[in-house]
Amino acid sequence: MMMSTIMMMITLIIASMMMLLNMIISKKLIQDREKSSPFECGFDPKSSSRTPFSLKFFLIAVIFLIFDIEIALLLPMIPTMIMSNINQWMLTSITFLLILIMGLYHEWNQGALNWTK
């Protein structure tokens, strides 16, 4: 009991010393405009809120996010193949891949993947 209390006190003292040392060493300027100003997605909050925004860039970002989520859903398919019934796994995998391919075809058909125009 006494040993754990001593260890707790030593840990508390070391943590307090490290926090005090960090406060002494760190350089904080109150007048630093960049750090004290709010950050809103790269836009200056003091300017007009009606600045033009590239819709094409937004669509590319959304499509990238969708493909990123699709990859995250595809990655666990191989390890689950070992633990599940092969026929059920094959049916589920083919259905999932067909849905993804149909979505890709729809995006391609609508021209969402053509961002050069």
Side-chain angles (χ1 to χ4, degrees):
M1 177 71 173
M2 186 69 161
M3 188 65 163
S4 63
T5 306
I6 292 172
M7 291 300 287
M8 211 175 352
M9 291 297 286
I10 291 173
T11 305
L12 183 64
I13 290 171
I14 291 174
S16 298
M17 288 174 53
M18 301 252 325
M19 287 191 314
L20 182 67
L21 185 65
N22 184 27
M23 285 176 53
I24 292 170
I25 292 176
S26 67
K27 180 181 178 184
K28 294 181 183 177
L29 295 176
I30 298 173
Q31 304 299 331
D32 194 6
R33 181 187 181 280
E34 293 297 323
K35 287 186 180 178
S36 63
S37 67
F39 181 73
E40 298 178 9
C41 302
F43 297 109
D44 187 17
K46 293 180 176 54
S47 66
S48 172
S49 62
R50 301 289 182 209
T51 56
F53 181 74
S54 173
L55 188 60
K56 208 59 166 168
F57 174 75
F58 177 74
L59 290 175
I60 291 170
V62 169
I63 290 173
F64 172 76
L65 183 65
I66 290 170
F67 282 127
D68 198 33
I69 291 172
E70 288 173 0
I71 289 173
L73 291 174
L74 285 173
L75 283 176
M77 288 176 77
I78 300 301
T80 57
M81 179 179 67
I82 298 167
M83 295 180 275
S84 59
N85 182 3
I86 193 68
N87 291 332
Q88 184 179 9
W89 180 87
M90 201 66 136
L91 180 67
T92 307
S93 300
I94 290 174
T95 305
F96 183 66
L97 287 174
L98 280 175
I99 291 171
L100 293 180
I101 290 171
M102 286 173 27
L104 178 64
Y105 176 73
H106 178 70
E107 288 175 354
W108 186 16
N109 199 20
Q110 294 294 317
L113 299 178
N114 188 14
W115 42 74
T116 58
K117 60 178 178 174

